[in-house]
């Protein structure tokens, strides 16, 4: 459907914030992506809740060799009506650079530049963790020696001999929307972006995305325990009960969902009424 009309509908239902995550590849230019900027302009004219935009916020070069900074990209989004920008893959590169610099900030990353210009509250880091299962004692020892945070989880791999059983894993901070694994632990990513000046974490649970079976509670708790930043939990919601489980079992500040609302399987108002009945405070 039309994103602006959908945003108006969600606003009427009582949504607290809206997030636009563009799946378009900005191989050439984001500054010239006028349809997306116009979308933000149209939405901000009709919807009066905070708007977050993510996708392609990084330094890059135009075809003619002109260098464009992430701050320039973010600034145009802010001028178009965004309240926050969400940084994904570039955050992984920023924290890898921070680690290589002995955890010293040098004002060279997109997070630092945007945070300094617009404030921490304007910078959201979208974290896309994916499980790296550890099937042998050797793999466990190697992961421990590399400093990864190991978590006991239920094995979701149907082809695995340990499917459904409790196993150990660590979470890779992926890039390209979960397509590419990195050696960076998602927990270290969260700690690093807090150091760099991010103001909020959008936690996407790649292994639970689209499953409709609930949020990845173990991952969310691990991340919440690793940072003082507000955490928005995403991926996995299939019904209103999953939101009450999220808020009862974790310290997540908010829950994000798309599919169940787009498909009209439930409404924002129904979710809010449900969690209130379960004793969770929310705005109506």
């Amino acid at each position: 459907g039309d994103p602006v009309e959908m945003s108006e509908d969600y606003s009427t239902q009582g949504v607290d914030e809206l997030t636009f995550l563009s799946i378009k590849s900005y191989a050439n230019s984001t500054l010239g992506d006028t349809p997306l900027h116009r979308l933000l302009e149209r939405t901000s004219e009709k919807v009066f809740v905070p708007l977050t935009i993510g996708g392609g916020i990084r330094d890059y070069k135009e075809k003619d060799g002109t260098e464009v900074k992430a701050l320039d990209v973010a600034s145009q989004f802010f001028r178009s009506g965004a309240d926050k920008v969400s940084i994904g893959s570039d955050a992984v590169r920023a924290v890898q650079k921070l680690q290589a610099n002995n955890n010293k900030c040098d004002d060279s990353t997109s997070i630092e530049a945007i945070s300094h210009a617009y404030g921490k509250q304007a910078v959201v880091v979208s974290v896309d963790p994916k499980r790296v299962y550890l099937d042998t004692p050797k793999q466990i020892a190697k992961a421990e020696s590399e400093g990864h945070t190991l978590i006991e989880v239920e094995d979701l791999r149907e082809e695995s001999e340990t499917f459904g059983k409790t196993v150990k894993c660590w979470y890779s901070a992926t890039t390209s929307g979960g397509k590419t694994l990195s050696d960076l632990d998602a927990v270290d990513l969260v700690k690093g972006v807090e150091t760099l000046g991010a103001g909020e974490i959008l936690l996407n649970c790649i292994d639970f995305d689209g499953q409709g079976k609930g949020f990845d509670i173990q991952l969310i708790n691990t991340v919440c325990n690793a940072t003082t930043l507000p955490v928005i939990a995403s991926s996995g919601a299939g019904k209103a009960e999953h939101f009450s489980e999220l808020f009862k079992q974790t310290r997540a500040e908010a829950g994000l969902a798309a599919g169940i609302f787009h498909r009209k399987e439930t409404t924002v108002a129904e979710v809010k009424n449900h969690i209130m009945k379960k004793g969770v405070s929310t705005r109506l």
Side-chain angles (χ1 to χ4, degrees):
D2 179 72
V4 178
E5 292 179 1
M6 294 170 69
S7 298
E8 287 187 88
D9 183 32
Y10 294 144
S11 180
T12 300
Q13 292 178 32
V15 73
D16 295 306
E17 296 190 23
L18 288 167
T19 300
F20 294 100
L21 298 176
S22 175
I23 60 174
K24 177 180 177 181
S25 175
Y26 295 113
N28 298 322
S29 172
T30 49
L31 293 182
D33 188 42
T34 52
L36 184 55
H37 296 130
R38 181 56 187 150
L39 168 64
L40 278 171
E41 291 170 357
R42 290 171 55 212
T43 304
S44 62
E45 290 169 357
K46 297 179 177 294
V47 176
F48 304 101
V49 297
L51 301 177
T52 300
I53 180 72
I57 300 173
R58 55 177 172 77
D59 296 344
Y60 66 94
K61 283 187 178 182
E62 296 276 20
K63 285 183 176 180
D64 62 3
T66 303
E67 292 189 357
V68 178
K69 294 296 185 181
L71 179 58
D72 299 324
V73 179
S75 294
Q76 186 153 343
F77 282 137
F78 289 132
R79 289 193 294 269
S80 297
D83 297 282
K84 307 175 188 178
V85 293
S86 178
I87 301 173
S89 297
D90 201 49
V92 174
R93 292 186 285 269
V95 172
Q96 289 172 329
K97 184 175 182 180
L98 176 71
Q99 291 180 335
N101 198 33
N102 295 318
N103 289 319
K104 295 179 181 178
C105 299
D106 61 7
D107 297 329
S108 66
T109 67
S110 56
I111 296 173
E112 293 166 283
I114 300 169
S115 178
H116 291 165
Y118 292 96
K120 292 183 178 181
Q121 81 291 337
V123 182
V124 179
V125 168
S126 181
V127 182
D128 294 325
K130 186 174 179 60
R131 290 181 178 182
V132 178
Y133 287 100
L134 305 171
D135 295 316
T136 67
K138 185 176 180 179
Q139 290 176 343
I140 293 173
K142 183 175 183 292
E144 288 177 333
S145 69
E146 292 173 346
H148 292 298
T149 299
L150 273 55
I151 306 173
E152 290 191 342
V153 298
E154 178 185 348
D155 191 342
L156 302 177
R157 301 169 297 175
E158 294 184 0
E159 75 283 0
S160 172
E161 293 181 358
T162 54
F163 174 66
K165 297 181 180 179
T166 299
V167 296
K168 289 186 177 181
C169 77
W170 64 276
Y171 284 86
S172 167
T174 69
T175 58
S176 303
K179 296 177 183 177
T180 305
L181 295 176
S182 79
D183 292 330
L184 180 64
D185 195 300
V187 173
D188 293 329
L189 172 61
V190 169
K191 292 178 179 178
V193 299
E194 182 170 6
T195 299
L196 289 169
E200 194 169 88
I201 300 295
L202 172 57
L203 183 62
N204 307 297
C205 310
I206 297 297
D207 300 279
F208 282 53
D209 192 33
Q211 300 300 307
K213 298 179 181 179
F215 296 91
D216 189 341
I217 299 298
Q218 290 103 321
L219 170 62
I220 296 165
N221 276 325
T222 300
V223 169
C224 286
N225 290 334
T227 181
T228 62
L229 298 179
V231 174
I232 303 171
S234 176
S235 307
K239 56 185 179 179
E241 287 78 7
H242 291 152
F243 287 90
S244 56
E245 291 171 3
L246 169 68
F247 297 124
K248 286 289 189 179
Q249 297 178 32
T250 78
R251 292 190 291 105
E253 294 281 342
L256 183 149
I260 60 171
F261 297 134
H262 295 341
R263 295 188 296 269
K264 301 187 184 301
E265 295 169 8
T266 188
T267 67
V268 174
E270 288 171 348
V271 170
K272 286 195 166 188
N273 286 330
H274 166 76
I275 63 175
M276 284 193 69
K277 289 178 181 178
K278 295 295 183 178
V280 178
S281 299
T282 186
R283 289 175 289 187
L284 292 177

